[in-house]
Amino acid sequence: MDRHIVPGIEAKHAAEAHRKDLLIQDEYGCRCMTYWVDEERGSAFCLIDAPNEEAVKRMHDRAHGLIPHDIVQVNSNVVEAFLGRITDPVGYYSPDSPNLKIFNDPAFRIVMVAQTKDTRLLKKELGAAKTEKLLLLYHEILREQIAENQGREVELKGERFIASFVSVTQAVLCAARIQKKLHVAGELIDLRIGLNAGMPVTTYKSIFGDVIKMAQYLIHVGAANHTMMASIIREIYKDDGQPSGHETSFISLKPSDENTLELFMDVLEKQYGNPQFAVRDFGNQTAMSKSKLYRKSMALFKSSPNEILRKFRLQKALTLLKKGSTVSHTAFECGFSSPSYFIKCFQESFGLSPLSYQKME
């Protein structure tokens, strides 16, 4: 899938460019499957079965001269899950141009990321039977509300669930109803929801990658059975004239705080495996003094920089242990100075040893 930034583009322009691509696609080993055009945001996206990126660029260059700004490799099933189709919509032929299919179908989507506490840790706290019952209820309500609000299920992987919506109003309503229907159960399973919106292709090398990333980052500063609403969602929802009415369960950050959150989380993702990484380095990489780093950390995460680094490393450790990594290997991969220190931190945080966690079903 590629992205073209074309200020002032109209649906008919995209339709004509697509037609020209189709005329020469075979010469470049390509199959132009469909496209999306967003007149309001001056963008177009093409879905192409192609041998490589260079073939896409050369075909576009010869057909109409519009070289894509970004190209990402995608799975057609994932594209369909997010955007609802991988072929042209039915109909839409122009009466003035009977051979030209013109449609204005933006690829802008609202993405909902819902995540619960680690299932093994829930079983330790609540017992296996109660955990299974709560998660069954959660998945039932989640899928019910996504369907009722015309969303699309994209992924259920471990504790993370991703859904896509065309409408901001329906995405917000879906999150609110999930919270309301789960009520106390949402707090017991530590359900956190992040809502963000954006385009399928940017410089990030996966479809809706940066949109999902920020939604996931927002979850880190959320609370049990609450939804973190990205500022872009808040603005669109407000501009659409929708009543708020969800103040008690919806939280949003200022754009400047979102930027700080992204900066913090990007540094953590990059450095968590480095045992030499310390608060001083954290400050250097975020261009903050020690005092400012501490203030921002407490404001966003309600934790000190040292605490959020340790928590982040421990969350990464859970993933590795579930994949069968040894305790020693996990400790060093996640930036702990020694296996014994890792075991101590793990025990203090989760109430059981890494080995006991690993043996749980």
Side-chain angles (χ1 to χ4, degrees), residues 156-356:
L156 174 56
K157 188 175 182 181
E159 289 79 25
R160 189 177 78 168
F161 199 107
I162 299 176
S164 170
F165 298 82
V166 174
S167 162
V168 167
T169 302
Q170 288 176 317
V172 171
L173 187 58
C174 179
R177 286 180 173 171
I178 290 169
Q179 292 168 189
K180 183 177 180 180
K181 284 178 173 287
L182 281 172
H183 193 43
V184 175
E187 296 181 7
L188 289 173
I189 62 176
D190 196 18
L191 172 63
R192 296 161 189 251
I193 298 175
L195 289 177
N196 194 19
M199 298 294 197
V201 179
T202 61
T203 54
Y204 203 93
K205 289 300 180 181
S206 66
I207 185 168
F208 286 102
D210 58 344
V211 182
I212 295 170
K213 182 184 78 167
M214 178 50 75
Q216 189 81 48
Y217 284 178
L218 287 168
I219 286 173
H220 280 272
V221 294
N225 212 27
H226 280 65
T227 294
M228 291 299 298
M229 183 187 291
S231 56
I232 186 173
I233 300 288
R234 174 67 72 182
E235 287 304 308
I236 296 173
Y237 192 65
K238 183 177 68 177
D239 289 346
D240 285 349
Q242 298 298 328
S244 46
H246 305 299
E247 288 85 354
T248 57
S249 57
F250 281 71
I251 306 168
S252 61
L253 301 178
K254 296 183 295 185
S256 60
D257 288 333
E258 283 184 354
N259 292 337
T260 302
L261 172 63
E262 184 172 22
L263 177 60
F264 269 52
M265 297 300 294
D266 283 350
V267 170
L268 289 170
E269 285 284 0
K270 183 179 178 181
Q271 296 293 343
Y272 75 89
N274 178 7
Q276 304 303 319
F277 184 72
V279 173
R280 180 185 66 256
D281 306 301
F282 211 151
N284 289 338
Q285 295 206 15
T286 56
M288 295 182 191
S289 65
K290 186 177 180 179
S291 58
K292 182 177 180 181
L293 182 71
Y294 182 83
R295 288 197 307 272
K296 290 290 186 180
S297 177
M298 292 301 296
L300 284 171
F301 298 91
K302 307 297 186 293
S303 299
S304 70
N306 268 329
E307 289 171 332
I308 64 170
L309 176 58
R310 184 170 61 253
K311 289 176 182 177
F312 194 84
R313 284 171 166 162
L314 287 169
Q315 288 299 318
K316 292 292 185 180
L318 293 177
T319 301
L320 286 178
L321 290 170
K322 277 190 283 191
K323 291 179 179 178
S325 174
T326 65
V327 173
S328 294
H329 181 262
T330 300
F332 292 121
E333 282 292 306
C334 295
F336 289 92
S337 56
S338 69
S340 58
Y341 180 59
F342 166 59
I343 293 170
K344 177 177 179 291
C345 292
F346 196 97
Q347 182 82 44
E348 289 176 352
S349 182
F350 302 129
L352 75 169
S353 70
L355 195 57
S356 297

Side-chain angles (χ1 to χ4, degrees), residues 16 22 53 69 133 244 252:
E16 182 59 32
L22 292 172
E53 292 186 11
H69 292 76
K133 183 177 180 181
S244 46
S252 61

Side-chain angles (χ1 to χ4, degrees), residues 1 25-26 28-34 46-52 55-56 59 74 76 86:
M1 178 174 272
Q25 61 180 356
D26 293 341
Y28 297 90
C30 296
R31 182 167 64 96
C32 300
M33 300 169 69
T34 189
C46 305
L47 183 63
I48 304 168
D49 185 4
N52 49 57
V56 173
M59 179 191 67
V74 296
S76 60
I86 55 172

